[in-house]
């Protein structure tokens, strides 16, 4: 069967992954209202296409943090890629390198940061970071990724505690014995008897994390810091005041607080608050090229996909992720042209039709 759109990959993955693995990737928190609204919110947004604009030549390139990428879609940090494909994150890294876009590597990778860099030495990568009760754990990995040439740190701030994902609890989800959170291989061996949560001992994450930790992070690294998990203008303003270089508007794929806004619905107020002082990105619910176009029209510099990358892996590893990215690139280019945009700079809020109440 020809893979025509991202939902084709979703159907394939659901059919071919084990139930526990599929449920883990698909999970939202509680009743999954926010997870589902991430998708539905895009369907409520309408475009105002302009015509007769000579779109015979189009250019999807953009820059993020000063680096040019081929189109404004990267890979969001998602855990445990080896559950979907034996080469895991190494395959993901090679695919994003081939398409010249950004791969945000998860702390919870089933390949180590060293293996990922070796697999795709010329790839453009950021590293997603959690802060742990033991700050030395976080500090050590920051120094590792900085030395390996990662270009930014993506501090995830919406997980003081893990959201309640009902199917993971029902399935008693655990990593299979042959897989590990590779970046912490050996670190927790002495605590083997302790209850695990997603591959590391429970209660390792630090719920006391606060804005002062952003300053701490700035004191130990020269890498740009991007905050992932902001959904309000108040926190966007605080992020700017604390000197970070970017914001990813994100509700963690609906896996944390159920009942929060869809990412795309939170985007405008954050863009309006930031006023171009730092770059604003978005993840959550991107499934088509027109979703990408709508996000950019509302002020995102780039978007990131999570679950679709995993579906691509489940389909055909590196080749599957490349196909997912290529389909999004082709759809984005077509949506741009049909809306009268020749390049990314021409995409603006005039493209969006706001509902009249």
């Amino acid at each position: 069967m020809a893979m025509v759109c991202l939902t084709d990959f979703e159907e394939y993955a659901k059919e071919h992954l084990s139930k526990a693995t599929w449920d883990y990737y698909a999970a939202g928190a509680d009743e999954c209202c926010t997870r589902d609204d991430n998708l539905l919110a895009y369907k409520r947004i309408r475009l105002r296409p302009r015509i007769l604009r000579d779109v015979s030549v189009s250019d999807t390139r953009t820059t993020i943090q000063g680096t040019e990428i081929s189109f404004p879609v990267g890979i969001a940090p998602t855990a445990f890629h080896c559950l979907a494909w034996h080469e895991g994150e190494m395959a993901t890294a090679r695919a994003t390198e081939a398409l010249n876009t950004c791969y945000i590597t998860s702390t919870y990778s089933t390949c180590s940061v060293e293996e990922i860099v070796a697999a795709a030495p010329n790839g453009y990568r950021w590293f997603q970071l959690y802060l742990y009760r033991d700050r030395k754990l976080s500090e050590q990995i920051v120094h590792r990724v900085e030395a390996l040439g990662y270009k930014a740190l993506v501090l995830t701030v919406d997980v003081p505690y893990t959201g309640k994902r009902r199917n993971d609890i029902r399935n008693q989800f655990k990593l299979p014995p042959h897989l590990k959170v590779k970046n912490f291989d050996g670190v927790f061996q002495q605590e083997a008897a302790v209850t695990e949560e997603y591959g590391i001992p429970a209660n390792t994450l630090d719920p006391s994390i606060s804005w002062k930790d952003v300053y701490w992070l700035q004191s130990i690294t020269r890498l740009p810091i991007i905050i992932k998990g902001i959904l309000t203008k108040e926190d966007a303003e605080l992020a700017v005041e604390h000197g970070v270089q970017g914001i990813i508007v994100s509700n963690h794929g609906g896996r944390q607080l159920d009942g929060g806004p869809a990412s795309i619905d939170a985007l405008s107020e954050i863009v309006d608050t930031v006023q171009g002082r730092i770059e604003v990105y978005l993840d959550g619910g991107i499934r088509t090229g027109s979703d990408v176009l709508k996000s950019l029209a509302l002020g995102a510099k780039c978007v990131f996909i999570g679950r679709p990358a995993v579906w691509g892996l489940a389909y055909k590893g590196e080749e599957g992720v490349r196909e997912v990215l290529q389909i999004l690139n082709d759809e984005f280019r077509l949506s741009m042209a049909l809306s009268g945009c020749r390049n990314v700079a021409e995409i603006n809020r005039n493209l969006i039709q706001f509902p009249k109440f």
Side-chain angles (χ1 to χ4, degrees), residues 10 52 89 91 150 153 243-244 343:
E10 180 179 19
L52 299 174
E89 290 83 4
Y150 280 77
L153 294 175
V244 304
N343 54 57

Side-chain angles (χ1 to χ4, degrees), residues 47-50 55 58 60 287-295 327-343 347 351:
L47 293 163
R48 299 177 65 249
R50 300 296 307 276
V55 290
S58 61
T60 61
R287 298 292 181 269
T288 68
S290 70
D291 293 344
V292 181
L293 182 64
K294 289 169 183 177
S295 301
I327 285 170
L328 271 180
N329 193 351
D330 293 345
E331 288 181 352
F332 173 58
R333 189 183 293 274
L334 181 60
S335 295
M336 276 175 59
L338 295 177
S339 299
C341 297
R342 290 160 291 210
N343 54 57
I347 301 170
L351 268 185

Side-chain angles (χ1 to χ4, degrees), residues 64 69 73-76 96 100-104 124-126 302 304:
I64 53 174
I69 53 176
V73 179
I75 303 288
T96 44
N100 186 29
T101 190
C102 180
Y103 169 34
I104 308 178
Y124 179 57
R125 276 176 295 270
W126 298 348
C302 179
F304 294 90

Side-chain angles (χ1 to χ4, degrees), residues 235-254:
D235 284 336
E237 183 58 47
L238 284 166
V240 173
E241 288 173 9
H242 283 78
V244 304
Q245 278 74 35
I247 288 170
I248 302 180
V249 178
S250 173
N251 54 34
H252 215 103

Side-chain angles (χ1 to χ4, degrees), residues 54-93:
D54 183 4
V55 290
S56 54
V57 178
S58 61
D59 184 356
T60 61
R61 290 174 300 168
T62 191
T63 61
I64 53 174
Q65 298 299 314
T67 294
E68 184 177 281
I69 53 176
S70 63
F71 73 123
V73 179
I75 303 288
T78 43
F80 308 152
H81 287 194
C82 285
L83 283 175
W85 185 257
H86 63 281
E87 290 183 303
E89 290 83 4
M90 293 188 291
T92 310

Side-chain angles (χ1 to χ4, degrees), residues 9 91-92 94-96 98-99 312-313 316-328:
F9 292 87
T92 310
R94 286 197 296 266
T96 44
L99 270 88
L313 276 178
K316 230 183 255 187
E318 176 191 345
E319 190 182 330
V321 179
R322 285 170 74 156
E323 281 190 49
V324 163
L325 286 168
Q326 191 61 57
I327 285 170
L328 271 180

